[in-house]
Amino acid sequence: MTKQISSHTRITTLLIVICIAVMLASCGTMAGLSQSKPKSLLTYDEQAKEILATMTLDEKIGQMIQSEYVGMQDKNDIQKYFLGSVLMGGGSDPAAGNSLEAWTDVYDEVQSIAMKTRLGIPVMYGVDAVHGHSNVIGATIFPHNIALGCTNNPELIEKIGKITAIEMQATGMNWTFAPCVTVVRDERWGRTYEGFSEEPEIASILGAASTRGLQGNDLSDPLAVAACAKHYIADGGTSAVTSQGRGGPAFGGFNFGGAAMTTRGGTRVTLNAGNSEFDEDTLRKIHLPPYKACVDAGVATIMPSYSSWNGTKCSASKFLLTDLLKGELGFKGFLISDYNAIDQINMRNFKEAIAISINAGMDMAMEPTRYAEFFTFLKELVEEGTVPMSRIDDAVTRILRVKIAMGLFDDSRSHLTDRKLHEIFGSKEHRKVARQAVRESLVLLKNNNEVLPVAKNTKKIFVAGINGNDIGNQCGGWTIQWQGQSGNDLTEGTTILQGIKDIVSSDTEVVYSRDGSGAAGSDVAIVFVGEERPYAEGSGDNGDLSLSAQQVEMINSIKSEGIPVVAVIISGRPMIIGDILDKADAIVAAWYPGTEGQGVADVLFGDYKPTGKLSFTWPKSMDQIPINVGDSDYDPLYEFGFGLSY
Ligand code: BGC
């Protein structure tokens, strides 16, 4: 055998190589996944500095402000104060409602006003597209991050980011306050479901994947948006504060996320926007890694947390913002304060609060209503020399870098929304990916006597519990409204009940009961329990995560009729399920699946075998919380990483 190969073989080999190369390349684009390392934001420094040199102090300060659309009495304030950004926060709806048209019109209105300023610098429009473009009716709503953490599938999370960006761009919106890369150490916290995991590695990998998906290969891609890793740092590591009955900590008239739930025993637990108390080593090991991962993935912006670390507000800490994040981690984008967070640094003296935060390294202030006051105070602070001009220039350079990277200064591009994208908003193709995410996120906790998967030709299936037939409850908070909202008219989607009806054989009878009555004669019962109303932020802080007595009773009574019971938990966190553990033959954690309820049915009926693994520890009792993998006395009901299959 010679080393020489025939020309025929050579041509065939060459063709195969070319085919593989083409296939690989198109695979990447088909999935729309990012391939290359992100371009450094420093690439845009020269252009940013050129623009900066032409700006007045007023114009610079304006770039550092974000107002809220509904908080502006007069929309011409965008022009008057040269605002760098506008947001539509949780629950702030356009006057014409939450339709695709209304949101798009608002964007175009705001951008058109911004373009009338002397320098015509476009605004970045910020929204909380935290599980899809979740404020807009008809958007594809993906499972919340806690569910995505259980998929532990970075490619899928990247695709979700990509689709979210496309649906955002369909409304013009170009900046999302996501991903939330909190590492949640206490599931009594009302924002638990916004986090991927209690453990930094999953939060890091998925946070970076989400950033890549949202921002694309290049921020200037018209289908990409700027991402914002939040809430820096240790928002999920705060110490619980308990108080008795109503009242709780007084927070004034600002957005602190509502009042915590009073638990059945009358004890109120507050974790949201609290104080995290541990040493720097713990901060670096547990809470810093996801930010490093996002910075490495090129995240354009980061939101400092309302919370404090050892008594100092994160939004006021020069060490955290400047030394650690911008210095050590090399973050070159800009920092956006949380909603009214600067005000909270000193509730009596706004001007002093501004000085502290800007000097600590905050670059843009989210001031929904006090933007004019902020403008005046910051200008005075610069003129008095309390805030150095170099700090202002640094902040504005950072903001401009991001805007240039986003292609906002590209004159060949229209500054108005590309309304052709409306055609793919909430499309079947997008919903298919959401359904896949639901399938992959379900965690099978128990399956006695192989009650799951349920046969599609079972004669009579009993479905019970409000969460089985409620789009609002299956989506959770941050859906159309800030706090979310129960009900099937909230947005377009498929309830889990409908998903079940669609998957079973044509001669199978599916009977639904909200309260669990009328199960007699059924062959199997699928009972939906969990958290019965959506919530967001502080109003979800809860010291009692046990199932309600009514839910326990529902399962008991169905089981007492000799019917096998599959319990499906719809919730934003692990719950205390000791009361149903013996009665339910199978238990599935389905988290907040979003609008594509069929994904739950796909798993229950065996079209997709469960693959989800717990990204959170599942405790036995409230007394065990906080409980996290690695604790010395770790003895949970289901361990971190647990998940059965068929
Ligand atoms: C939340 C942020 C959110 C912001 C804007 C705040 O209350 O803490 O997560 O991005 O509001 O809606």
Side-chain angles (χ1 to χ4, degrees), residues 246-274:
R246 304 217 152 266
F251 286 142
F254 295 108
N255 176 2
F256 278 80
M261 290 181 197
T262 304
T263 61
R264 288 172 208 126
T267 308
R268 179 191 292 267
V269 170
T270 305
L271 285 126
N272 196 43

Side-chain angles (χ1 to χ4, degrees), residues 270-547:
T270 305
L271 285 126
N272 196 43
N275 185 27
S276 56
E277 299 162 293
F278 37 71
D279 60 14
E280 193 178 321
D281 197 38
T282 310
L283 186 88
R284 284 175 179 276
K285 269 201 204 117
I286 307 280
H287 299 280
L288 191 62
Y291 292 96
K292 178 164 183 345
C294 289
V295 169
D296 292 347
V299 76
T301 70
I302 293 179
M303 185 186 290
S305 178
Y306 282 132
S307 58
S308 308
W309 176 48
N310 293 329
T312 303
K313 291 255 180 217
C314 296
S315 303
S317 167
K318 184 154 189 292
F319 169 71
L320 293 175
L321 307 190
T322 299
D323 303 347
L324 191 53
L325 192 53
K326 294 180 175 177
E328 198 178 312
L329 296 193
F331 173 58
K332 299 288 183 265
F334 71 87
L335 298 175
I336 169 78
S337 66
D338 204 342
Y339 200 97
N340 284 322
I342 294 179
D343 318 44
Q344 295 168 22
I345 293 171
N346 185 339
M347 300 289 265
R348 275 181 218 93
N349 190 338
F350 188 33
K351 187 170 169 182
E352 191 180 292
I354 295 169
I356 293 171
S357 190
I358 301 297
N359 280 336
M362 194 72 79
D363 301 304
M364 187 186 274
M366 190 188 290
E367 287 300 332
T369 52
R370 298 177 84 183
Y371 54 90
E373 246 180 295
F374 181 96
F375 183 96
T376 309
F377 283 146
L378 185 53
K379 192 170 173 190
E380 283 172 19
L381 287 162
V382 175
E383 284 164 353
E384 290 157 10
T386 313
V387 173
M389 198 60 208
S390 56
R391 181 70 269 281
I392 301 292
D393 284 346
D394 172 51
V396 179
T397 305
R398 286 170 176 273
I399 293 163
L400 291 175
R401 263 180 209 155
V402 171
K403 288 191 173 183
I404 299 165
M406 290 169 76
L408 293 178
F409 285 90
D410 179 351
D411 289 334
S412 66
R413 259 163 72 166
S414 164
H415 290 104
L416 301 181
T417 308
D418 175 5
R419 291 184 190 237
K420 283 205 297 294
L421 292 172
H422 283 194
E423 282 164 30
I424 52 168
F425 186 84
S427 67
K428 272 203 188 122
E429 206 187 307
H430 291 176
R431 289 177 189 273
K432 229 168 109 184
V433 176
R435 181 172 178 172
Q436 182 63 20
V438 178
R439 291 169 172 162
E440 292 190 30
S441 67
L442 262 51
V443 182
L444 179 61
L445 298 174
K446 176 182 176 183
N447 193 16
N448 276 11
N449 311 317
E450 297 186 350
V451 64
L452 283 176
V454 177
K456 289 181 188 171
N457 60 359
T458 304
K459 258 173 105 188
K460 186 172 176 188
I461 299 174
F462 186 67
V463 178
I466 56 173
N467 287 344
N469 186 27
D470 195 306
I471 285 281
N473 285 15
Q474 77 190 40
C475 285
W478 297 105
T479 310
I480 312 301
Q481 297 304 325
W482 175 39
Q483 295 289 320
Q485 193 178 295
S486 297
N488 281 338
D489 51 3
L490 185 66
T491 188
E492 292 152 25
T494 307
T495 61
I496 306 172
L497 175 64
Q498 190 56 50
I500 292 173
K501 285 182 175 167
D502 291 346
I503 209 171
V504 295
S505 311
S506 54
D507 49 0
T508 294
E509 190 188 350
V510 177
V511 176
Y512 173 68
S513 156
R514 270 175 81 81
D515 63 5
S517 59
S522 305
D523 299 297
V524 65
I526 304 175
V527 185
F528 290 87
V529 293
E531 299 191 278
E532 289 184 333
R533 68 160 183 86
Y535 55 84
E537 300 193 47
S539 66
D541 281 0
N542 191 350
D544 184 359
L545 300 175
S546 48
L547 299 179

